[in-house]
Amino acid sequence: MEPDPIKVGAHIHRLRKRRQLTQVQLGELLHISFQAVSKWERGETLPDVSLLPRLAQVLETTIDNILMGGEREMEKKRLEEFTRMATIAQMREGVECLERMGQLLGKDSFFYLGAVGGVDLKMNTEFEKTMANPNLREIMFAEAAIQAIQNGAYIAPEDIQSGFKSAHWAEVVMEYAKKYGIC
């Protein structure tokens, strides 16, 4: 499949904006003129093949992602890139399992204290207080989703958009999904 210069250019523009770079700054990082970047983004030309590895690095994506204009050839190929499938419901369930551990084993159990103590230490939080507050609870679910994405899980964008009570946390998780190539 031949790269579509218009789609490639629009995608380079989106990626550049996401990185908060100007055309001049991107050009400087690639040792080319801002006019060349402008021509890419307008779909007049495609980046030279020799620039693609550095362009992908600067834009925090892959060469394939650039040349496909941000689209994937096949859903199967996209899913093969990830280590596992996950849902926001699973993220909620996973975090809530810690709560259930306290109920089932007792809050004085070494298993519970160790698990919650580890979460408190790594996340600089107090798990029990966080879970008691509905707003903070939502943040915990978002953090679980972000961690899963960073560790190679695929969470469908539609699930992210609909899986949170707060649109803000859905947006935050979507940013990570974009950064890690989910959408």
Side-chain angles (χ1 to χ4, degrees):
M1 182 175 173
E2 287 288 316
D4 179 339
I6 300 293
K7 286 183 181 178
V8 170
H11 190 54
I12 290 171
H13 175 81
R14 282 190 303 274
L15 292 170
R16 177 180 61 77
K17 288 291 194 180
R18 186 179 311 146
R19 291 282 328 277
Q20 300 180 339
L21 294 170
T22 65
Q23 289 181 342
V24 171
Q25 290 169 325
L26 180 58
E28 288 173 354
L29 289 169
L30 300 173
H31 306 291
I32 61 170
S33 69
F34 76 91
Q35 292 94 335
V37 175
S38 177
K39 284 183 180 183
W40 299 343
E41 291 184 1
R42 290 193 313 266
E44 293 177 16
T45 62
L46 289 169
D48 188 88
V49 174
S50 65
L51 292 173
L52 288 173
R54 177 73 178 133
L55 178 62
Q57 180 184 30
V58 168
L59 297 178
E60 297 179 349
T61 190
T62 64
I63 294 171
D64 180 56
N65 183 270
I66 292 170
L67 294 178
M68 295 301 296
E71 298 175 3
R72 304 275 191 222
E73 286 185 34
M74 303 182 316
E75 185 69 15
K76 181 181 177 208
K77 180 172 175 57
R78 174 169 52 176
L79 297 179
E80 288 173 353
E81 296 173 8
F82 299 95
T83 58
R84 65 186 175 93
M85 301 287 293
T87 65
I88 299 302
Q90 289 171 329
M91 300 301 106
R92 289 179 184 278
E93 183 180 359
V95 172
E96 289 168 347
C97 277
L98 282 175
E99 281 184 308
R100 286 202 325 254
M101 185 188 300
Q103 295 163 354
L104 295 171
L105 302 177
K107 292 197 176 188
D108 58 347
S109 161
F110 288 126
F111 288 103
Y112 178 73
L113 292 172
V116 169
V119 171
D120 289 350
L121 182 65
K122 288 287 187 182
M123 294 183 65
N124 195 26
T125 188
E126 292 183 48
F127 181 79
E128 290 178 352
K129 287 182 180 178
T130 298
M131 295 304 284
N133 179 317
N135 295 323
L136 297 178
R137 188 179 185 91
E138 194 77 358
I139 294 170
M140 188 68 76
F141 299 142
E143 182 62 34
I146 290 166
Q147 289 293 315
I149 290 168
Q150 289 176 326
N151 290 325
Y154 174 88
I155 302 176
E158 313 79 56
D159 187 38
I160 295 170
Q161 292 293 347
S162 65
F164 289 94
K165 295 174 185 169
S166 161
H168 171 74
W169 294 113
E171 289 174 23
V172 169
V173 175
M174 279 299 291
E175 283 303 311
Y176 279 89
K178 290 174 187 171
K179 182 177 179 179
Y180 285 83
I182 289 176
C183 49

